[in-house]
Amino acid sequence: MKKYKPDRKGLVTLRILILAVTAGLILAVNYFVPVRKVSLIADISLAAISLGLMFIYLPMYFSSVSYLVTSNEIIRSSGVLVKFHQSIKLPLVQHSMVITTPFSKFTGMNFLLFFALGGQINLMFLSYEDMMEILRLFSESGGSEW
């Protein structure tokens, strides 16, 4: 039985992406909205939402997510305001899917999906080493490695 947490590099990557999208939206609002007061209100609103997302919600979400992998079960716990607990028995897993992004070892953007009859469980923002370790445990338990 081992407990896994999301990689903090994923949090940094998401913050950078949110910052880039917010900057693009602010530039678009200033370019397309001719009324200065309206664009200023939109800019402040976009900045406040993105700052709240980057520095309040995402750190709380990343600290609440955990994955418990036992010899025959995977349990995912997450949630900031509403707590979710999801489990799947490893012998019931039909197939798994690995999603990685370019430079995923450095960005923490690794996702591992397990599909069973009628459901799925998503393990998000894992480090590359943790993802490969979970896949190895899955293949040792009788499942087939992707």
Side-chain angles (χ1 to χ4, degrees):
M1 177 170 69
K2 186 170 179 185
K3 191 173 192 175
Y4 297 93
K5 298 290 282 181
D7 192 5
R8 299 302 281 186
K9 296 176 201 169
L11 176 61
V12 173
T13 304
L14 285 177
R15 284 179 173 168
I16 292 170
L17 288 173
I18 290 170
L19 186 64
V21 168
T22 303
L25 287 173
I26 287 173
L27 288 174
V29 164
N30 287 330
Y31 182 75
F32 289 112
V33 177
V35 181
R36 183 68 189 140
K37 287 184 181 181
V38 173
S39 66
L40 183 64
I41 291 171
D43 293 346
I44 291 171
S45 300
L46 285 170
I49 290 169
S50 65
L51 287 174
L53 188 63
M54 288 190 309
F55 296 111
I56 297 172
Y57 180 75
L58 283 179
M60 289 172 59
Y61 177 76
F62 268 71
S63 66
S64 73
V65 174
S66 66
Y67 310 114
L68 182 66
V69 179
T70 64
S71 61
N72 64 348
E73 188 175 31
I74 296 175
I75 302 169
R76 174 184 179 217
S77 300
S78 66
V80 175
L81 298 175
V82 178
K83 301 292 183 187
F84 295 97
H85 299 284
Q86 185 179 12
S87 66
I88 193 167
K89 300 246 184 247
L90 284 177
L92 299 178
V93 172
Q94 293 177 332
H95 69 280
S96 63
M97 182 187 307
V98 174
I99 301 172
T100 59
T101 59
F103 308 108
S104 63
K105 289 184 181 181
F106 307 110
T107 62
M109 301 299 276
N110 298 302
F111 306 97
L112 184 56
L113 288 73
F114 289 105
F115 297 93
L117 189 61
Q120 72 180 27
I121 190 166
N122 304 328
L123 309 181
M124 303 182 297
F125 307 113
L126 291 167
S127 69
Y128 188 79
E129 294 79 20
D130 287 348
M131 181 181 66
M132 296 313 275
E133 184 177 341
I134 292 171
L135 278 175
R136 189 175 59 255
L137 290 172
F138 172 62
S139 65
E140 290 172 358
S141 72
S144 60
E145 190 172 338
W146 46 298

Short mmCIF file of all heavy atoms in Angstrom, two decimals, residues 84-107:
data_model
loop_
_atom_site.label_atom_id
_atom_site.label_comp_id
_atom_site.label_asym_id
_atom_site.label_seq_id
_atom_site.Cartn_x
_atom_site.Cartn_y
_atom_site.Cartn_z
N PHE A 84 -14.48 14.14 -2.58
CA PHE A 84 -14.82 12.99 -3.40
C PHE A 84 -13.88 11.84 -3.07
O PHE A 84 -12.68 12.06 -2.90
CB PHE A 84 -14.69 13.31 -4.90
CG PHE A 84 -15.65 14.34 -5.38
CD1 PHE A 84 -15.27 15.66 -5.50
CD2 PHE A 84 -16.94 13.99 -5.73
CE1 PHE A 84 -16.15 16.62 -5.95
CE2 PHE A 84 -17.83 14.94 -6.19
CZ PHE A 84 -17.44 16.26 -6.29
N HIS A 85 -14.43 10.65 -2.99
CA HIS A 85 -13.64 9.43 -2.81
C HIS A 85 -14.09 8.46 -3.89
O HIS A 85 -15.28 8.14 -4.00
CB HIS A 85 -13.84 8.83 -1.42
CG HIS A 85 -13.44 9.74 -0.31
ND1 HIS A 85 -12.13 9.96 0.02
CD2 HIS A 85 -14.17 10.52 0.51
CE1 HIS A 85 -12.08 10.82 1.02
NE2 HIS A 85 -13.31 11.18 1.34
N GLN A 86 -13.14 8.00 -4.66
CA GLN A 86 -13.45 7.11 -5.77
C GLN A 86 -12.50 5.92 -5.67
O GLN A 86 -11.30 6.10 -5.41
CB GLN A 86 -13.24 7.86 -7.09
CG GLN A 86 -13.62 7.12 -8.31
CD GLN A 86 -13.40 7.97 -9.57
OE1 GLN A 86 -12.76 9.01 -9.53
NE2 GLN A 86 -13.91 7.50 -10.67
N SER A 87 -13.00 4.73 -5.90
CA SER A 87 -12.14 3.55 -5.84
C SER A 87 -12.46 2.63 -6.99
O SER A 87 -13.57 2.64 -7.54
CB SER A 87 -12.31 2.81 -4.51
OG SER A 87 -13.59 2.27 -4.42
N ILE A 88 -11.46 1.84 -7.34
CA ILE A 88 -11.63 0.85 -8.40
C ILE A 88 -10.78 -0.36 -8.04
O ILE A 88 -9.66 -0.22 -7.55
CB ILE A 88 -11.25 1.44 -9.77
CG1 ILE A 88 -11.70 0.55 -10.91
CG2 ILE A 88 -9.78 1.74 -9.86
CD1 ILE A 88 -11.63 1.21 -12.27
N LYS A 89 -11.33 -1.52 -8.22
CA LYS A 89 -10.58 -2.75 -7.95
C LYS A 89 -9.72 -3.07 -9.16
O LYS A 89 -10.18 -3.06 -10.30
CB LYS A 89 -11.55 -3.90 -7.68
CG LYS A 89 -12.46 -3.64 -6.49
CD LYS A 89 -12.16 -4.59 -5.40
CE LYS A 89 -13.13 -4.39 -4.27
NZ LYS A 89 -12.50 -3.88 -3.09
N LEU A 90 -8.44 -3.35 -8.92
CA LEU A 90 -7.51 -3.60 -10.02
C LEU A 90 -7.86 -4.81 -10.88
O LEU A 90 -7.68 -4.77 -12.09
CB LEU A 90 -6.08 -3.72 -9.48
CG LEU A 90 -5.43 -2.40 -9.10
CD1 LEU A 90 -4.06 -2.63 -8.51
CD2 LEU A 90 -5.34 -1.48 -10.28
N PRO A 91 -8.38 -5.91 -10.31
CA PRO A 91 -8.75 -7.03 -11.18
C PRO A 91 -9.89 -6.70 -12.16
O PRO A 91 -10.04 -7.35 -13.18
CB PRO A 91 -9.17 -8.13 -10.22
CG PRO A 91 -8.53 -7.79 -8.93
CD PRO A 91 -8.45 -6.30 -8.90
N LEU A 92 -10.67 -5.67 -11.86
CA LEU A 92 -11.78 -5.30 -12.73
C LEU A 92 -11.39 -4.32 -13.83
O LEU A 92 -12.20 -4.02 -14.70
CB LEU A 92 -12.92 -4.69 -11.89
CG LEU A 92 -13.51 -5.59 -10.83
CD1 LEU A 92 -14.58 -4.85 -10.04
CD2 LEU A 92 -14.10 -6.85 -11.45
N VAL A 93 -10.16 -3.84 -13.79
CA VAL A 93 -9.71 -2.87 -14.80
C VAL A 93 -9.59 -3.57 -16.15
O VAL A 93 -8.94 -4.61 -16.27
CB VAL A 93 -8.37 -2.24 -14.39
CG1 VAL A 93 -7.80 -1.39 -15.51
CG2 VAL A 93 -8.54 -1.42 -13.12
N GLN A 94 -10.24 -2.99 -17.16
CA GLN A 94 -10.18 -3.57 -18.50
C GLN A 94 -8.98 -3.05 -19.28
O GLN A 94 -8.33 -3.80 -19.98
CB GLN A 94 -11.47 -3.26 -19.26
CG GLN A 94 -12.66 -3.97 -18.66
CD GLN A 94 -13.95 -3.59 -19.37
OE1 GLN A 94 -14.07 -2.51 -19.91
NE2 GLN A 94 -14.89 -4.50 -19.35
N HIS A 95 -8.72 -1.76 -19.19
CA HIS A 95 -7.53 -1.22 -19.83
C HIS A 95 -7.15 0.10 -19.17
O HIS A 95 -7.93 0.70 -18.43
CB HIS A 95 -7.71 -1.07 -21.35
CG HIS A 95 -8.68 -0.01 -21.75
ND1 HIS A 95 -10.03 -0.19 -21.74
CD2 HIS A 95 -8.48 1.26 -22.19
CE1 HIS A 95 -10.64 0.90 -22.16
NE2 HIS A 95 -9.72 1.80 -22.44
N SER A 96 -5.94 0.54 -19.46
CA SER A 96 -5.45 1.80 -18.90
C SER A 96 -4.94 2.67 -20.03
O SER A 96 -4.61 2.19 -21.11
CB SER A 96 -4.34 1.54 -17.88
OG SER A 96 -3.24 0.94 -18.52
N MET A 97 -4.88 3.97 -19.76
CA MET A 97 -4.40 4.92 -20.74
C MET A 97 -3.45 5.89 -20.05
O MET A 97 -3.72 6.37 -18.96
CB MET A 97 -5.57 5.70 -21.34
CG MET A 97 -5.16 6.68 -22.41
SD MET A 97 -6.50 7.76 -22.99
CE MET A 97 -7.76 6.60 -23.41
N VAL A 98 -2.33 6.15 -20.71
CA VAL A 98 -1.34 7.09 -20.21
C VAL A 98 -1.38 8.32 -21.11
O VAL A 98 -1.30 8.20 -22.33
CB VAL A 98 0.07 6.47 -20.21
CG1 VAL A 98 1.11 7.50 -19.83
CG2 VAL A 98 0.12 5.28 -19.28
N ILE A 99 -1.52 9.49 -20.52
CA ILE A 99 -1.48 10.74 -21.28
C ILE A 99 -0.32 11.56 -20.73
O ILE A 99 -0.29 11.87 -19.54
CB ILE A 99 -2.79 11.52 -21.14
CG1 ILE A 99 -3.97 10.69 -21.63
CG2 ILE A 99 -2.71 12.84 -21.90
CD1 ILE A 99 -5.31 11.30 -21.36
N THR A 100 0.61 11.87 -21.61
CA THR A 100 1.74 12.72 -21.24
C THR A 100 1.83 13.87 -22.23
O THR A 100 1.37 13.77 -23.35
CB THR A 100 3.07 11.93 -21.25
OG1 THR A 100 3.28 11.40 -22.55
CG2 THR A 100 3.06 10.83 -20.23
N THR A 101 2.42 14.94 -21.79
CA THR A 101 2.64 16.10 -22.65
C THR A 101 4.13 16.18 -22.97
O THR A 101 4.94 15.51 -22.32
CB THR A 101 2.18 17.38 -21.95
OG1 THR A 101 2.92 17.53 -20.73
CG2 THR A 101 0.70 17.34 -21.64
N PRO A 102 4.49 16.99 -23.95
CA PRO A 102 5.93 17.18 -24.19
C PRO A 102 6.60 17.72 -22.92
O PRO A 102 6.03 18.56 -22.22
CB PRO A 102 5.97 18.21 -25.32
CG PRO A 102 4.66 18.06 -26.00
CD PRO A 102 3.68 17.67 -24.94
N PHE A 103 7.76 17.23 -22.64
CA PHE A 103 8.53 17.61 -21.44
C PHE A 103 7.77 17.30 -20.16
O PHE A 103 7.87 18.01 -19.18
CB PHE A 103 8.92 19.09 -21.48
CG PHE A 103 9.60 19.51 -22.73
CD1 PHE A 103 8.96 20.31 -23.66
CD2 PHE A 103 10.90 19.09 -23.00
CE1 PHE A 103 9.59 20.69 -24.82
CE2 PHE A 103 11.54 19.46 -24.16
CZ PHE A 103 10.88 20.27 -25.08
N SER A 104 7.00 16.21 -20.16
CA SER A 104 6.15 15.90 -19.01
C SER A 104 6.96 15.56 -17.75
O SER A 104 6.44 15.68 -16.66
CB SER A 104 5.21 14.75 -19.34
OG SER A 104 5.93 13.58 -19.62
N LYS A 105 8.21 15.17 -17.93
CA LYS A 105 9.03 14.93 -16.75
C LYS A 105 9.33 16.22 -16.00
O LYS A 105 9.56 16.22 -14.80
CB LYS A 105 10.34 14.25 -17.14
CG LYS A 105 10.18 12.82 -17.58
CD LYS A 105 11.51 12.18 -17.85
CE LYS A 105 11.33 10.75 -18.31
NZ LYS A 105 12.59 10.08 -18.58
N PHE A 106 9.28 17.34 -16.71
CA PHE A 106 9.59 18.64 -16.11
C PHE A 106 8.35 19.44 -15.76
O PHE A 106 8.41 20.34 -14.92
CB PHE A 106 10.47 19.46 -17.06
CG PHE A 106 11.69 18.73 -17.52
CD1 PHE A 106 11.81 18.32 -18.83
CD2 PHE A 106 12.71 18.43 -16.63
CE1 PHE A 106 12.93 17.63 -19.25
CE2 PHE A 106 13.83 17.74 -17.04
CZ PHE A 106 13.94 17.33 -18.36
N THR A 107 7.21 19.14 -16.41
CA THR A 107 6.00 19.92 -16.17
C THR A 107 5.02 19.25 -15.21
O THR A 107 4.12 19.90 -14.70
CB THR A 107 5.26 20.20 -17.49
OG1 THR A 107 4.88 18.95 -18.08
CG2 THR A 107 6.13 20.98 -18.45
#
